[in-house]
Amino acid sequence: MATGAMAATTTRAPIPAAASFPGDLGLGRRRVAVPGWRAGGRRMRASPPARRPFLFSPRGVSDSRSSQTCLDPDASTSVLGIILGGGAGTRLYPLTKKRAKPAVPLGANYRLIDIPVSNCLNSNVSKIYVLTQFNSASLNRHLSRAYGNNISGYKNEGFVEVLAAQQSPENPNWFQGTADAVRQYMWLFEEHNVMEFLILAGDHLYRMDYQKFIQAHRETDADITVAALPMDEQRATAFGLMKIDDEGRIVEFAEKPKGEKLKSMMVDTTILGLDPERAKELPYIASMGIYVFSKDVMLRLLRENFPAANDFGSEVIPGATEIGMRVQAYLYDGYWEDIGTIEAFYNANLGITKKPVPDFSFYDRSAPIYTQPRYLPPSKVLDADVTDSVIGEGCVIKHCTINHSVVGLRSCISEGAVIEDSLLMGADYYETEDDKKVLSETGGIPIGIGKNAHIRKAIIDKNARIGENVKIINFDNVQEAVRETEGYFIKSGIVTVIKDALIPSGTVI
């Protein structure tokens, strides 16, 4: 549980009053003529005869094509990004034992939070808040080191700030849900002279151009726009589904429907831009938990219409639809994974080793994924057999075999070790030769993978000490087991060794 103090603040210059936008509540602002707004800052509704269906590109992102959007005003001055750090992350435990869910390491060099922050920066959204309340120290440290001094500059008021849950006379409770978290900091968000709030999750893996998302929101004169993922019938039962009319407006929600209710939620996804063939394969659309809210709409919904609502997905957005607000769907047809469970996390990481095309690529120079600069040396591979794997920075790999695995930064793998279908998160620091000598003399185990260890289908968290001749291969095919005092858990058949754990030499799991 967070301590109640805000985890960090970043100094930023005040926003000039002249840069304000219609709908802003600040004082001393200069009115700007923007289509769809009338004097007084209220939204104008287009007359019914002018309405026509909008067709959008079926892809919210292209891995090789630059954005074709032209936002006016642009996103850097008119959009505020709000990334929700999630709850306690119990389904990702023990990876969340000592860190917030968005701070969990990803893809050898990164952390989960780097995905939405990078998507924002690549989409020209440079004002970003990250809301969290559980184990926020490592998240705050990473964000301050990665982005604290890198996005500000002349005429650029960009920032990335962590806002931890805190108690106040008005709000004595911790965050009760996504909507409640935003409501508790609304006093801060409404100070910004922006047109829209971009609400994001901190534990999703995807690459998306939010400018196209925001442009669709403005073109349709929407109050709220929900990012939607097309899917087939088999996957649809695990998601909250939406139904749309012939203009892409959301008219109905259903949470994990089955049977006849599932059939009733089928939609024509060509309305949102999917080609007829794929629309037939993917006749359902699921909410991605990513939203654009017009600023005045967000203020009204959270303070007046639904002052007690805690969640956006299950309460605020369905409620907004019921009271007649224009809630639009925006189709995203690309790779997206909700990193909510150990199994999903494991599969997402191993997916980047796929050939010839990985599930998610970190090698797109037009939309890179940023992270903390660590200034580590290149990885050293000494007579090792490495196939279909990703190796992070600063590793030392000696005379071992690695297949279909992700090896995190500063990993040390000793002679004779075999690593298969596994994720090694590496280490936070190097041990000196003197440290290793003392450990050797006292029978201790250094950080890393010991000699002749065999690891298969496992996640080894940071700073773990795996002794010699250890076998972590789940001999008995156990699906679920809690062995916290012994340094590991088993979930969905995947062995997860806890951060800083010690697995003695000769142990068989």
Side-chain angles (χ1 to χ4, degrees):
M1 186 70 71
T3 59
M6 283 171 44
T9 57
T10 302
T11 303
R12 48 187 171 82
I15 299 172
S20 60
F21 302 105
D24 174 57
L25 302 181
L27 299 176
R29 58 195 184 276
R30 179 172 60 86
R31 293 295 182 193
V32 183
V34 179
W37 297 80
R38 63 164 62 98
R42 306 308 302 163
R43 182 185 298 275
M44 288 194 303
R45 290 289 183 201
S47 58
R51 286 258 181 231
R52 56 187 173 84
F54 288 90
L55 294 180
F56 306 118
S57 167
R59 289 190 177 275
V61 62
S62 169
D63 211 34
S64 60
R65 207 179 315 132
S66 60
S67 172
Q68 300 299 311
T69 56
C70 184
L71 290 179
D72 183 23
D74 68 55
S76 67
T77 57
S78 62
V79 178
L80 181 68
I82 302 172
I83 302 174
L84 304 172
T90 53
R91 293 186 301 160
L92 265 182
Y93 196 88
L95 300 180
T96 52
K97 181 178 180 178
K98 297 183 178 182
R99 56 170 79 90
K101 187 159 56 170
V104 172
L106 171 77
N109 284 353
Y110 307 90
R111 293 181 185 255
L112 284 173
I113 192 62
D114 290 327
I115 301 302
V117 172
S118 297
N119 282 338
C120 281
L121 299 180
N122 293 331
S123 303
N124 204 24
V125 177
S126 56
K127 298 177 173 89
I128 306 164
Y129 286 109
V130 182
L131 273 59
T132 185
Q133 68 178 332
F134 294 98
N135 293 332
S136 59
S138 62
L139 176 63
N140 173 47
R141 183 167 59 246
H142 175 78
L143 289 171
S144 62
R145 290 175 179 176
Y147 309 103
N149 300 314
N150 296 333
I151 62 173
S152 296
Y154 180 63
K155 289 189 176 179
N156 181 3
E157 296 161 2
F159 60 87
V160 180
E161 287 186 21
V162 174
L163 300 176
Q166 60 179 354
Q167 293 175 307
S168 68
E170 295 79 20
N171 289 297
N173 300 316
W174 302 113
F175 297 154
Q176 302 300 305
T178 54
D180 183 62
V182 172
R183 182 188 293 109
Q184 289 197 32
Y185 272 106
M186 190 58 75
W187 62 269
L188 176 62
F189 301 151
E190 70 178 320
E191 291 178 358
H192 291 276
N193 296 322
V194 296
M195 291 171 62
E196 292 98 7
F197 295 138
L198 175 64
I199 308 295
L200 306 169
D203 56 354
H204 295 170
L205 179 59
Y206 65 109
R207 182 182 276 107
M208 183 175 182
D209 184 354
Y210 299 138
Q211 292 178 103
K212 297 178 181 179
F213 189 20
I214 296 159
Q215 181 165 292
H217 177 81
R218 293 180 183 178
E219 287 178 347
T220 55
D221 192 28
D223 294 307
I224 307 168
T225 303
V226 181
L229 194 72
M231 57 181 52
D232 56 27
E233 184 172 326
Q234 185 176 358
R235 294 181 61 209
T237 56
F239 290 87
L241 303 183
M242 301 176 290
K243 203 167 185 178
I244 55 174
D245 64 16
D246 59 2
E247 291 186 353
R249 184 170 179 171
I250 299 171
V251 295
E252 186 180 347
F253 293 84
E255 185 66 26
K256 299 180 181 179
K258 292 180 174 60
E260 290 302 314
K261 183 59 177 176
L262 176 64
K263 297 288 187 186
S264 72
M265 296 303 293
M266 292 178 66
V267 299
D268 178 8
T269 45
T270 59
I271 293 168
L272 299 175
L274 212 61
D275 64 79
E277 186 176 336
R278 282 181 56 73
K280 192 174 181 180
E281 296 172 0
L282 306 168
Y284 299 94
I285 55 172
S287 170
M288 295 169 62
I290 300 171
Y291 318 110
V292 177
F293 280 79
S294 295
K295 179 180 178 180
D296 59 325
V297 170
M298 175 77 86
L299 296 174
R300 191 160 69 250
L301 285 172
L302 294 187
R303 287 178 173 167
E304 299 174 20
N305 300 109
F306 307 104
N310 290 328
D311 188 69
F312 282 123
S314 62
E315 297 175 82
V316 175
I317 293 176
T321 302
E322 290 175 5
I323 63 175
M325 286 189 170
R326 188 171 187 87
V327 183
Q328 289 285 140
Y330 171 78
L331 199 70
Y332 168 82
D333 186 24
Y335 174 81
W336 176 84
E337 185 64 55
D338 180 359
I339 312 291
T341 64
I342 290 290
E343 184 177 21
F345 176 76
Y346 171 85
N347 291 333
N349 275 276
L350 271 292
I352 69 175
T353 68
K354 282 187 180 178
K355 58 182 184 181
V357 180
D359 287 343
F360 181 87
S361 173
F362 288 94
Y363 299 91
D364 178 14
R365 70 176 184 178
S366 68
I369 303 301
Y370 307 101
T371 192
Q372 172 185 339
R374 300 179 179 90
Y375 310 109
L376 291 171
S379 289
K380 181 162 57 175
V381 181
L382 305 174
D383 192 25
D385 182 7
V386 181
T387 55
D388 301 339
S389 297
V390 173
I391 309 296
E393 301 173 329
C395 299
V396 179
I397 299 170
K398 306 175 183 176
H399 313 289
C400 59
T401 300
I402 301 173
N403 178 53
H404 188 232
S405 296
V406 175
V407 179
L409 47 87
R410 302 188 193 89
S411 288
C412 293
I413 305 176
S414 301
E415 296 90 335
V418 177
I419 313 296
E420 303 175 282
D421 307 321
S422 294
L423 166 62
L424 311 185
M425 292 188 178
D428 289 318
Y429 57 93
Y430 291 116
E431 289 180 318
T432 66
E433 290 304 317
D434 289 341
D435 292 334
K436 293 177 183 177
K437 184 178 179 181
V438 171
L439 286 169
S440 177
E441 292 172 351
T442 59
I445 298 172
I447 290 176
I449 310 301
K451 293 179 181 179
N452 303 312
H454 189 174
I455 299 173
R456 180 195 304 151
K457 198 178 181 183
I459 299 171
I460 311 299
D461 207 338
K462 283 190 171 184
N463 309 330
R465 300 171 186 270
I466 310 297
E468 297 181 6
N469 300 303
V470 167
K471 295 190 184 302
I472 303 177
I473 55 181
N474 196 1
F475 268 115
D476 299 325
N477 195 29
V478 176
Q479 292 301 299
E480 306 291 329
V482 177
R483 300 286 187 272
E484 189 159 5
T485 57
E486 299 170 42
Y488 70 92
F489 280 69
I490 302 177
K491 292 187 177 182
S492 302
I494 301 163
V495 179
T496 301
V497 174
I498 300 170
K499 185 178 181 182
D500 302 312
L502 187 153
I503 308 297
S505 296
T507 299
V508 177
I509 298 175

